[in-house]
Amino acid sequence: MGHANDRLEPPERLVRALGSDPDLGRAETARRWLAGLPATAQECLDRWDLTPERVQEPGGRSGMVVLVRRADGTPAALKLVPPDGGAEAERAALEHWNGLGAVRVLAAAPEAGALLLERLHADVSLRSLAEAKAQLEASATLQRLWVPPPAGLALPTVAGHTAARAEALRAHRDRPWAADAQVLVDEALELRDALAPGPADEPPSLLHGAYHQGKVLAGDRTPWLAVGPRPLTGERAYDLARLVRDRADTLLASPGAAATVRRRVAKLADSLEVDPDRLRGWTLFRAVADGVLERASGARTTGELLLEFAALL
């Protein structure tokens, strides 16, 4: 059995991320969830007969991971996210992939926002590799995930998800701090409206939804496995777009950044057989949407970096 453990506190990074939500209602809901997180974690330890080792630090920005051992000594990872439906969608996607390119689910309690996952090497992601090798492995792993969506399960679509993001962009467009970004915001909104219907000749795929190099960890049964999906259904170019801006800080500091970005778009589009113009459009939209949201939440440096990257496109 798991025992009471005073080390089940959420990491500071998670507390800061959820507490900085510009929506005061969501921030308050997150605060209450964080306050009850140690008790929720203990309930899951008891439910699945787990022994905790440590909370993963610094961890992610949307959930807490506790490294645990099962009753037979097998290592595993207990993931806890706010019980807002995200755990159920993640469980469904991971079970549909069934370990092909993604981490396996060992047990789940979506109503509590809890997933018990196979243990990967949490400190070794694709970002530990040289850029060219990392992008090659990231592309190969992502391609394995692009399968037909599971039948009978209503996952969010790219069109629906980006409609909500576009609405948030419009809400922030005229804020004083967004004045310098209005041209980019307008372009992003126009691109989203043009891209949202999807390509006529491509059936919807199951998408990871939040894919980048940091979401691919080293494993034992296969070298690299994806984690942390926020699954959507839709076109593949959307899923690839976040990968285009990996290591944006390093890229922006290098000479010829704009040309490098264009080459990256072309190379990724070619290697995964997506339309380069659609990939460029979704990359710009996602960078602007994320950049504006970061600025709205007070993360000025990150927000400006993302907007600077978008301007290169």
Side-chain angles (χ1 to χ4, degrees):
M1 295 288 290
H3 299 287
N5 191 301
D6 60 5
R7 294 176 297 168
L8 297 174
E9 295 293 331
E12 184 58 33
R13 182 182 184 186
L14 177 63
V15 174
R16 288 198 308 269
L18 295 183
S20 65
D21 194 316
D23 184 298
L24 296 181
R26 287 198 303 264
E28 175 57 24
T29 298
R31 187 195 65 77
R32 291 196 298 269
W33 176 73
L34 288 165
L37 196 50
T40 301
Q42 187 61 54
E43 289 169 6
C44 292
L45 295 176
D46 294 339
R47 178 192 298 223
W48 290 318
D49 197 9
L50 306 172
T51 300
E53 294 182 349
R54 61 181 175 89
V55 172
Q56 185 179 324
E57 296 273 5
R61 302 175 63 186
S62 59
M64 181 172 84
V65 173
V66 185
L67 303 182
V68 300
R69 290 198 176 263
R70 307 179 81 182
D72 64 359
T74 304
L78 173 63
K79 181 176 181 178
L80 298 161
V81 298
D84 57 2
E88 173 56 26
E90 181 171 347
R91 178 204 63 77
L94 292 176
E95 289 186 350
H96 190 62
W97 287 317
N98 193 28
L100 182 61
V103 66
R104 279 200 170 109
V105 178
L106 305 177
E111 72 286 352
L115 297 172
L116 185 64
L117 306 171
E118 71 173 307
R119 177 90 68 91
L120 303 182
H121 298 281
D123 299 326
V124 184
S125 76
L126 284 180
R127 287 181 177 159
S128 65
L129 301 181
E131 169 65 15
K133 177 65 171 174
Q135 289 288 56
L136 182 66
E137 295 289 353
S139 298
T141 301
L142 183 58
Q143 194 166 35
R144 296 186 188 102
L145 304 181
W146 287 341
V147 296
L153 182 66
L155 290 171
T157 65
V158 167
H161 176 71
T162 58
R165 304 219 70 195
E167 190 61 31
L169 266 183
R170 292 187 183 94
H172 293 304
R173 179 189 180 279
D174 295 323
R175 302 287 177 87
W177 52 260
D180 292 341
Q182 284 182 353
V183 172
L184 269 177
V185 169
D186 290 343
E187 182 179 1
L189 291 170
E190 289 175 6
L191 283 167
R192 183 265 156 195
D193 290 344
L195 294 169
D201 59 347
E202 181 187 316
S205 296
L206 175 60
L207 308 179
H208 183 284
Y211 192 81
H212 54 79
Q213 292 176 16
K215 292 282 190 178
V216 186
L217 304 180
D220 292 323
R221 62 181 173 84
T222 192
W224 300 105
L225 292 165
V227 299
R230 296 181 185 176
L232 302 170
T233 61
E235 71 165 302
R236 298 175 177 189
Y238 178 87
D239 221 17
L240 189 56
R242 175 61 182 79
L243 193 60
V244 174
R245 74 168 195 252
D246 249 306
R247 312 191 199 198
D249 52 348
T250 302
L251 188 152
L252 288 169
S254 64
T260 301
V261 170
R262 289 193 293 270
R263 286 195 299 270
R264 185 181 287 184
V265 169
K267 186 172 182 178
L268 285 170
D270 181 64
S271 65
L272 290 175
E273 299 181 341
V274 304
D275 184 307
D277 290 332
R278 297 187 69 87
L279 177 56
R280 178 256 176 198
W282 278 126
T283 302
L284 189 147
F285 172 79
R286 294 187 68 176
V288 172
D290 290 347
V292 168
L293 180 61
E294 292 285 356
R295 285 296 312 272
S297 65
R300 179 174 180 176
T301 300
T302 302
E304 290 182 348
L305 183 145
L306 290 170
L307 293 172
E308 183 182 353
F309 177 85
L312 297 179
L313 293 160

